[in-house]
mmCIF file of all heavy atoms in Angstrom:
data_model
loop_
_atom_site.group_PDB
_atom_site.id
_atom_site.type_symbol
_atom_site.label_atom_id
_atom_site.label_comp_id
_atom_site.label_asym_id
_atom_site.label_seq_id
_atom_site.Cartn_x
_atom_site.Cartn_y
_atom_site.Cartn_z
ATOM 1 N N THR G 55 -73.070 -27.131 -51.279
ATOM 2 C CA THR G 55 -71.750 -27.300 -51.949
ATOM 3 C C THR G 55 -71.851 -26.886 -53.409
ATOM 4 O O THR G 55 -72.900 -26.817 -54.031
ATOM 5 C CB THR G 55 -71.304 -28.737 -51.825
ATOM 6 O OG1 THR G 55 -72.255 -29.581 -52.519
ATOM 7 C CG2 THR G 55 -71.214 -29.201 -50.368
ATOM 8 N N ALA G 56 -70.643 -26.732 -53.983
ATOM 9 C CA ALA G 56 -70.539 -26.268 -55.376
ATOM 10 C C ALA G 56 -71.260 -27.194 -56.345
ATOM 11 O O ALA G 56 -71.952 -26.743 -57.270
ATOM 12 C CB ALA G 56 -69.084 -26.164 -55.762
ATOM 13 N N ALA G 57 -71.137 -28.516 -56.132
ATOM 14 C CA ALA G 57 -71.721 -29.503 -57.059
ATOM 15 C C ALA G 57 -73.232 -29.388 -57.186
ATOM 16 O O ALA G 57 -73.837 -29.867 -58.147
ATOM 17 C CB ALA G 57 -71.332 -30.903 -56.639
ATOM 18 N N LEU G 58 -73.876 -28.791 -56.198
ATOM 19 C CA LEU G 58 -75.335 -28.669 -56.231
ATOM 20 C C LEU G 58 -75.814 -27.613 -57.222
ATOM 21 O O LEU G 58 -77.002 -27.521 -57.479
ATOM 22 C CB LEU G 58 -75.846 -28.337 -54.805
ATOM 23 C CG LEU G 58 -75.515 -29.454 -53.784
ATOM 24 C CD1 LEU G 58 -76.011 -29.015 -52.369
ATOM 25 C CD2 LEU G 58 -76.138 -30.766 -54.136
ATOM 26 N N ALA G 59 -74.872 -26.804 -57.784
ATOM 27 C CA ALA G 59 -75.275 -25.776 -58.735
ATOM 28 C C ALA G 59 -75.369 -26.334 -60.145
ATOM 29 O O ALA G 59 -75.776 -25.572 -61.047
ATOM 30 C CB ALA G 59 -74.303 -24.616 -58.687
ATOM 31 N N ASN G 60 -74.976 -27.618 -60.409
ATOM 32 C CA ASN G 60 -75.167 -28.133 -61.753
ATOM 33 C C ASN G 60 -75.575 -29.562 -61.724
ATOM 34 O O ASN G 60 -75.202 -30.381 -62.562
ATOM 35 C CB ASN G 60 -73.828 -27.954 -62.582
ATOM 36 C CG ASN G 60 -72.750 -28.896 -62.203
ATOM 37 O OD1 ASN G 60 -72.703 -29.354 -61.069
ATOM 38 N ND2 ASN G 60 -71.867 -29.222 -63.124
ATOM 39 N N ASP G 61 -76.385 -29.908 -60.721
ATOM 40 C CA ASP G 61 -76.839 -31.318 -60.592
ATOM 41 C C ASP G 61 -78.167 -31.512 -61.286
ATOM 42 O O ASP G 61 -78.746 -32.603 -61.210
ATOM 43 C CB ASP G 61 -76.941 -31.697 -59.106
ATOM 44 C CG ASP G 61 -77.939 -30.865 -58.318
ATOM 45 O OD1 ASP G 61 -78.464 -29.883 -58.896
ATOM 46 O OD2 ASP G 61 -78.092 -31.175 -57.070
ATOM 47 N N GLY G 62 -78.709 -30.466 -61.936
ATOM 48 C CA GLY G 62 -80.005 -30.569 -62.598
ATOM 49 C C GLY G 62 -81.210 -30.562 -61.708
ATOM 50 O O GLY G 62 -82.327 -30.786 -62.111
ATOM 51 N N ASN G 63 -80.964 -30.252 -60.422
ATOM 52 C CA ASN G 63 -82.017 -30.258 -59.429
ATOM 53 C C ASN G 63 -82.229 -28.834 -58.921
ATOM 54 O O ASN G 63 -81.364 -28.237 -58.284
ATOM 55 C CB ASN G 63 -81.635 -31.150 -58.274
ATOM 56 C CG ASN G 63 -82.727 -31.264 -57.171
ATOM 57 O OD1 ASN G 63 -83.760 -30.628 -57.302
ATOM 58 N ND2 ASN G 63 -82.493 -32.079 -56.187
ATOM 59 N N THR G 64 -83.364 -28.244 -59.237
ATOM 60 C CA THR G 64 -83.612 -26.832 -58.835
ATOM 61 C C THR G 64 -84.064 -26.703 -57.401
ATOM 62 O O THR G 64 -84.384 -25.580 -56.979
ATOM 63 C CB THR G 64 -84.695 -26.235 -59.727
ATOM 64 O OG1 THR G 64 -85.843 -27.043 -59.664
ATOM 65 C CG2 THR G 64 -84.225 -26.173 -61.197
ATOM 66 N N ALA G 65 -84.014 -27.747 -56.651
ATOM 67 C CA ALA G 65 -84.325 -27.730 -55.208
ATOM 68 C C ALA G 65 -83.005 -27.687 -54.366
ATOM 69 O O ALA G 65 -83.109 -27.624 -53.136
ATOM 70 C CB ALA G 65 -85.213 -28.844 -54.822
ATOM 71 N N THR G 66 -81.871 -27.814 -55.027
ATOM 72 C CA THR G 66 -80.600 -27.766 -54.337
ATOM 73 C C THR G 66 -79.801 -26.589 -54.860
ATOM 74 O O THR G 66 -80.010 -26.135 -55.987
ATOM 75 C CB THR G 66 -79.786 -29.057 -54.526
ATOM 76 O OG1 THR G 66 -79.505 -29.222 -55.931
ATOM 77 C CG2 THR G 66 -80.569 -30.256 -53.989
ATOM 78 N N ARG G 67 -78.863 -26.093 -54.080
ATOM 79 C CA ARG G 67 -78.183 -24.856 -54.469
ATOM 80 C C ARG G 67 -76.767 -24.820 -53.898
ATOM 81 O O ARG G 67 -76.445 -25.466 -52.881
ATOM 82 C CB ARG G 67 -78.918 -23.613 -53.973
ATOM 83 C CG ARG G 67 -78.980 -23.508 -52.438
ATOM 84 C CD ARG G 67 -79.852 -22.332 -52.033
ATOM 85 N NE ARG G 67 -80.089 -22.294 -50.585
ATOM 86 C CZ ARG G 67 -79.355 -21.604 -49.728
ATOM 87 N NH1 ARG G 67 -78.351 -20.880 -50.180
ATOM 88 N NH2 ARG G 67 -79.578 -21.602 -48.428
ATOM 89 N N TRP G 68 -75.930 -24.026 -54.528
ATOM 90 C CA TRP G 68 -74.635 -23.595 -53.975
ATOM 91 C C TRP G 68 -74.810 -22.238 -53.349
ATOM 92 O O TRP G 68 -75.524 -21.398 -53.898
ATOM 93 C CB TRP G 68 -73.564 -23.499 -55.101
ATOM 94 C CG TRP G 68 -72.394 -22.651 -54.656
ATOM 95 C CD1 TRP G 68 -71.438 -23.000 -53.739
ATOM 96 C CD2 TRP G 68 -72.040 -21.349 -55.112
ATOM 97 N NE1 TRP G 68 -70.519 -21.993 -53.617
ATOM 98 C CE2 TRP G 68 -70.843 -20.972 -54.406
ATOM 99 C CE3 TRP G 68 -72.592 -20.463 -55.990
ATOM 100 C CZ2 TRP G 68 -70.243 -19.711 -54.647
ATOM 101 C CZ3 TRP G 68 -71.991 -19.204 -56.229
ATOM 102 C CH2 TRP G 68 -70.830 -18.871 -55.518
ATOM 103 N N SER G 69 -74.204 -22.019 -52.216
ATOM 104 C CA SER G 69 -74.121 -20.654 -51.654
ATOM 105 C C SER G 69 -72.741 -20.441 -51.054
ATOM 106 O O SER G 69 -72.140 -21.381 -50.526
ATOM 107 C CB SER G 69 -75.212 -20.446 -50.598
ATOM 108 O OG SER G 69 -75.101 -21.291 -49.499
#
Side-chain angles (χ1 to χ4, degrees):
T55 63
L58 299 177
N60 75 333
D61 61 355
N63 182 357
T64 56
T66 62
R67 65 186 173 93
W68 162 71
S69 62

